[in-house]
Amino acid sequence: MRIGLFIPCYMNELYPGASMATLEVLERQGLEVDYPLEQTCCGQPMANSGCTKNLKDLAQRFLRIFKDYDYIVGPSGSCVAMVRTHYAQFLDGEPGFDRLKERTFELCEFLHDVIQVETFDISFPHKVGLHNSCHGHRDLGLGTPSELHVPCTNKLENLLLKVDGLELVTVKRPDECCGFGGTFAVAEKEVSVVMGNDRIEDHLSAGAEVMTGADISCLMHIDGLARRQGKPLKVMHMAQILNGEVPHGTS
Amino acid sequence: MGHPEKAKEFTRDLDRTHWHDKALWFVREKRDRAIKAVPEWEQLREQAQKIKSHTMANLDLLLEQFETNAKAKGIQIHWAKDAEAHNRIVLQILQDREMTRLVKSKSMLTEECELNPFLEKNGIEVIDTDLGERIVQLRQEHPSHIVLPAIHLKKEDVSTTFQEHLQTEAGNNDPTYLTRAARTHLREKFLAAEAGLTGVNFGIAETGGVVVCTNEGNADLGSSLPTLHIASMGIEKMIPRLKDLAVFTRLLARSATGQPITSYTSHYHGPVEGGEMHIILVDNGRSEMLGDPLFRKALNCIRCGACINTCPVYRRSGGHSYGYIIPGPIGSTLGPGKDLAAHRTMPYACTLCGSCTNVCPAKVDLHQQLYYRRQQVVDAGLLDPPKERLLNLAGWLFKHPALLDFTGRLTRKVVPCLPRALLYNRFNPWGEERELPEMPKKSFKELYKEKKGGQS
Ligand code: SF4
């Protein structure tokens, strides 16, 4: 099984640590992982702003680079959602697109559904708050959204529960948006900041030492707010916890 | 002013912002509890979606059937292609009968048509009789929510308004006291009214009757005390059969406020004895929307307001920040549908979190619509030019990996050397309240190459 590692552009530049953790978690499962060097960006920032000008090119690029892998795995729910839910507008009917769509997974989803990891053989003796980032949560179905009346499950929680010593805290609003939202964070800065601070408060009052999630863009926003205000909340990507790292910053 | 500027105003009062958020989250939680008591909730939503989509696909035939059946019941039917036509029809009906006093129950359609100012200009006294609507009417404001029109106001605000207009005691903020005062005031208006206007929640093609749902019974008084009842109805309010109604009444109140059913679900199948009943069927852009596959599902909306209650942006920016009569997710697709340029910031007042789509009882694909509305904004050249240039530049850069790597390397090298004042200033809205990520020395790609190089 050959896995194409899909690292979002900003993660490559700003979060090499979480990116490396993603690679290592997969390798520790004995998987053969390849990171195609010519990859850049899935196009999500432009798409979410409505700028479609370069998107067909970027989507075709992505398809060309990744189409021959057995699985394409990326540590970002929103970027994977871009491929799975929004590429159709640009790639519908292109040879290989349906296969690509079916085989592109968010990291935790892949570990949970495809590899069905039994144990990570690691411990993380800390109180952890899980942030269910919206695109992964609602568009990819990583967890059951609180709005729906269907049997409840959460793939991220299931994985975290396999980590020794990890205590998952219960927040009041488990799937409320953090207010990152791509360019929203800047265009609607005030609302974005209130939303982010509200998440931080919810996690802190639940007793979380570390906040984790499957989308580092949200975590970057939360971390930026928490650090500015000197809040005692560390932020880590799921991959970093599953890779057995000790609490540190996101990078 | 667009949404960002008005939202900035709103969030200036942080306590009030949190109060507003919590008030609406309370409604959302009440809704959650109510729907979890209905095991077949998701099937109901699916059924509602199917009925509405079927209705929209056959709207012409159903409307004709509705007209025939309504006429047979002695109801007079009028067709209005737009807001202006609607308003003129209402005025004409009133003027023909030399009536000048109208009581109204809640109708977002008449808000959409701006009926009140039009009638007032023509010498008609219009009294909104829904308590929340009356409060905002006295304050000369617009509703800030489609179900909870005065949700932006605290009881203290209502007290001051009533003190000024209804001569209640200064500083008496007791909700019961204030409600009683409003009731006495409205009772006089009801008794003096010559005509009553209601909205319509559902029009039933099979019977030719309409159904109005309220919690205050004000529609019932307004339509039965005066001898003239006018019902204003958007053409999308149609449902095919009486038995379809049950699906919607079960969904509507639970979604809206978490009640099992609205206090009053009133069926109107003809005029009161010796009186007249008129129904005005209003298009006002709806047929155009029906022709647009990307946005037509918005016509399935039953105006429950659930998407508004759950919207994390609405809860923290208030209904008036949207600048359109319907705020929140549903307003943000309807507004730009009406006037893209005027409402171009609405689709961006959203993080695409998708909570709205999940709560919607009629399964309107709200966050997808907002995603596509943004493309319309850009295609029409309405995005801020610098922003568009930046995004297109980024898009172009992403097609050139070597250049992208270079830019990344440069940023990671330069940023840590800059003094804080150069990094954190008004040109960096990110950094006004957030730290930037710490710049790593190497990118993942560089680390990966080293790792693989070391291995081979
Ligand atoms: S779009 Fe759906 S959730 Fe929003 S008001 Fe309409 S029916 Fe209710």
Side-chain angles (χ1 to χ4, degrees):
Chain A
M1 186 200 290
R2 270 181 78 235
I3 296 172
L5 181 62
F6 160 33
I7 297 291
C9 51
Y10 68 96
M11 267 188 90
N12 171 50
E13 293 295 343
L14 299 175
Y15 294 100
S19 309
M20 193 51 87
T22 305
L23 174 64
E24 288 174 3
V25 166
L26 291 168
E27 286 182 340
R28 273 152 43 99
Q29 294 298 323
L31 299 163
E32 189 192 327
V33 188
D34 184 30
Y35 171 72
L37 294 172
E38 67 276 38
Q39 65 178 288
T40 55
C41 171
C42 63
Q44 191 197 176
M46 285 70 76
N48 284 356
S49 304
C51 289
T52 50
K53 194 172 157 197
N54 292 300
L55 287 184
K56 198 173 168 96
D57 289 348
L58 288 178
Q60 279 172 334
R61 232 181 148 260
F62 189 95
L63 177 63
R64 184 161 41 75
I65 293 170
F66 283 106
K67 68 177 186 326
D68 293 326
Y69 288 100
D70 296 316
Y71 290 100
I72 298 94
V73 179
S76 160
S78 57
C79 299
V80 169
M82 174 71 201
V83 175
R84 287 228 299 251
T85 59
H86 291 310
Y87 267 15
Q89 188 185 354
F90 312 102
L91 293 183
D92 239 356
E94 295 240 358
F97 173 55
D98 285 338
R99 184 179 179 277
L100 177 89
K101 212 166 50 175
E102 282 162 23
R103 288 173 171 268
T104 304
F105 285 85
E106 187 282 322
L107 171 70
C108 299
E109 181 185 40
F110 182 73
L111 294 170
H112 188 278
D113 294 354
V114 182
I115 303 298
Q116 305 186 352
V117 175
E118 301 263 325
T119 169
F120 290 95
D121 227 350
I122 49 157
S123 86
F124 193 80
H126 300 281
K127 291 189 168 182
V128 175
L130 173 61
H131 177 62
N132 291 295
S133 288
C134 304
H135 289 73
H137 188 63
R138 296 196 180 80
D139 289 346
L140 299 181
L142 297 185
T144 309
S146 59
E147 299 89 12
L148 300 181
H149 189 7
V150 294
C152 218
T153 179
N154 190 306
K155 296 175 188 176
L156 309 187
E157 264 182 43
N158 294 347
L159 293 181
L160 290 173
L161 291 174
K162 293 183 195 297
V163 176
D164 286 344
L166 186 148
E167 184 186 336
L168 209 53
V169 303
T170 309
V171 297
K172 288 206 190 79
R173 302 186 191 182
D175 57 6
E176 170 101 322
C177 177
C178 71
F180 172 68
T183 51
F184 180 90
V186 174
E188 291 267 2
K189 193 204 81 197
E190 287 74 17
V191 178
S192 168
V193 165
V194 181
M195 287 169 71
N197 284 334
D198 286 354
R199 296 316 312 130
I200 293 176
E201 283 318 313
D202 194 3
H203 281 252
L204 282 177
S205 15
E209 301 160 51
V210 175
M211 187 198 274
T212 191
D215 220 312
I216 214 149
S217 51
C218 308
L219 299 179
M220 169 171 80
H221 161 66
I222 300 274
D223 184 49
L225 288 166
R227 277 197 289 136
R228 173 64 57 88
Q229 300 162 60
K231 298 272 181 190
L233 188 68
K234 291 256 185 286
V235 174
M236 289 172 80
H237 191 278
M238 282 284 295
Q240 295 173 300
I241 293 186
L242 298 180
N243 195 35
E245 295 173 22
V246 295
H248 50 62
T250 38
S251 57
Chain B
M1 265 207 294
H3 185 275
E5 294 79 22
K6 290 195 215 142
K8 185 173 176 175
E9 283 297 311
F10 187 86
T11 52
R12 229 166 240 162
D13 187 342
L14 254 189
D15 288 339
R16 209 180 171 96
T17 305
H18 281 130
W19 165 79
H20 192 263
D21 165 59
K22 290 205 175 93
L24 286 143
W25 185 254
F26 174 80
V27 185
R28 159 72 208 273
E29 285 188 312
K30 224 177 133 204
R31 172 254 175 218
D32 288 353
R33 283 194 297 276
I35 71 133
K36 303 243 154 115
V38 181
E40 66 275 31
W41 181 256
E42 298 302 331
Q43 285 102 292
L44 276 177
R45 288 177 71 219
E46 184 53 32
Q47 214 173 339
Q49 186 274 116
K50 283 188 176 146
I51 296 170
K52 274 291 179 184
S53 298
H54 167 88
T55 304
M56 293 312 144
N58 298 283
L59 193 57
D60 51 344
L61 300 174
L62 289 166
L63 281 167
E64 279 174 12
Q65 190 191 351
F66 177 77
E67 180 181 33
T68 311
N69 291 333
K71 279 182 172 162
K73 292 196 156 60
I75 301 169
Q76 301 182 47
I77 297 289
H78 309 259
W79 297 87
K81 78 168 197 313
D82 54 23
E84 203 197 328
H86 165 263
N87 294 352
R88 263 189 287 107
I89 292 168
V90 176
L91 182 65
Q92 196 67 53
I93 298 173
L94 294 172
Q95 282 180 338
D96 285 350
R97 290 156 188 79
E98 294 179 355
M99 293 177 173
T100 56
R101 292 190 304 275
L102 177 73
V103 283
K104 253 181 68 197
S105 71
K106 186 129 96 256
S107 150
M108 288 315 294
L109 177 60
T110 57
E111 290 284 344
E112 174 188 323
C113 295
E114 298 178 51
L115 176 69
N116 286 17
F118 173 81
L119 289 181
E120 281 159 2
K121 233 179 23 224
N122 284 284
I124 310 282
E125 180 198 62
V126 189
I127 304 292
D128 282 318
T129 60
D130 171 89
L131 178 56
E133 282 210 319
R134 184 63 183 144
I135 296 167
V136 296
Q137 188 183 32
L138 289 173
R139 297 169 61 95
Q140 300 187 319
E141 289 178 350
H142 288 293
S144 65
H145 187 292
I146 61 178
V147 173
L148 314 160
I151 189 69
H152 60 293
L153 299 170
K154 296 188 174 187
K155 54 184 192 292
E156 294 78 15
D157 306 318
V158 176
S159 173
T160 345
T161 306
F162 280 9
Q163 188 198 334
E164 185 184 330
H165 296 277
L166 310 183
Q167 287 74 48
T168 54
E169 295 162 21
N172 190 337
N173 304 333
D174 175 33
T176 311
Y177 168 74
L178 295 171
T179 313
R180 287 222 171 104
R183 180 187 288 194
T184 313
H185 158 73
L186 284 172
R187 198 50 62 103
E188 280 166 28
K189 297 293 180 187
F190 275 122
L191 290 170
E194 296 160 308
L197 188 145
T198 66
V200 168
N201 290 92
F202 306 100
I204 306 164
E206 178 189 48
T207 65
V210 297
V211 176
V212 181
C213 305
T214 71
N215 273 328
E216 298 171 16
N218 56 319
D220 306 76
L221 269 185
S223 56
S224 45
L225 283 179
T227 48
L228 172 65
H229 174 196
I230 303 171
S232 291
M233 169 177 165
I235 52 172
E236 86 285 10
K237 292 281 175 271
M238 197 55 52
I239 55 172
R241 301 161 304 183
L242 182 60
K243 72 176 191 194
D244 299 322
L245 182 66
V247 174
F248 294 98
T249 47
R250 294 189 72 197
L251 288 166
L252 178 62
R254 287 186 174 89
S255 298
T257 55
Q259 295 164 270
I261 192 157
T262 41
S263 306
Y264 299 86
T265 302
S266 307
H267 295 239
Y268 297 96
H269 283 86
V272 291
E273 236 179 79
E276 291 175 56
M277 179 171 170
H278 296 251
I279 297 176
I280 311 175
L281 290 158
V282 186
D283 186 322
N284 205 30
R286 286 162 178 76
S287 335
E288 206 180 310
M289 195 184 248
L290 191 56
D292 194 330
L294 281 180
F295 302 108
R296 87 167 45 121
K297 266 197 168 176
L299 290 169
N300 292 5
C301 170
I302 57 169
R303 300 287 190 271
C304 71
C307 58
I308 303 176
N309 302 338
T310 201
C311 177
V313 178
Y314 172 87
R315 278 188 263 114
R316 293 173 183 82
S317 61
H320 292 149
S321 65
Y322 291 81
Y324 182 61
I325 198 63
I326 302 179
I330 181 65
S332 299
T333 183
L334 294 176
K338 273 251 136 73
D339 184 340
L340 191 62
H343 302 299
R344 64 179 180 279
T345 61
M346 288 183 92
Y348 294 92
C350 158
T351 58
L352 300 174
C353 80
S355 183
C356 47
T357 304
N358 282 346
V359 290
C360 178
K363 288 200 163 180
V364 179
D365 48 350
L366 290 156
H367 76 299
Q368 298 303 337
Q369 295 207 5
L370 297 184
Y371 176 86
Y372 288 118
R373 284 286 182 212
R374 297 176 185 190
Q375 297 187 2
Q376 285 188 321
V377 171
V378 173
D379 292 347
L382 293 165
L383 192 69
D384 273 355
K387 198 170 166 186
E388 189 180 345
R389 275 198 297 273
L390 196 69
L391 284 158
N392 284 334
L393 176 69
W396 176 83
L397 195 62
F398 290 134
K399 292 193 264 183
H400 300 83
L403 208 55
L404 180 69
D405 286 347
F406 173 74
T407 317
R409 221 165 27 243
L410 196 67
T411 313
R412 279 181 285 107
K413 283 246 149 45
V414 171
V415 168
C417 307
L418 296 177
R420 248 192 108 77
L422 253 186
L423 268 184
Y424 294 97
N425 53 44
R426 69 195 167 84
F427 299 110
N428 171 12
W430 174 272
E432 276 173 48
E433 293 177 67
R434 314 173 187 99
E435 289 297 300
L436 289 165
E438 280 164 29
M439 296 291 142
K441 293 218 164 51
K442 292 179 179 168
S443 70
F444 170 71
K445 194 190 274 188
E446 288 167 326
L447 294 176
Y448 179 82
K449 281 199 224 163
E450 285 174 17
K451 183 175 149 122
K452 291 289 142 167
Q455 271 172 15
S456 59

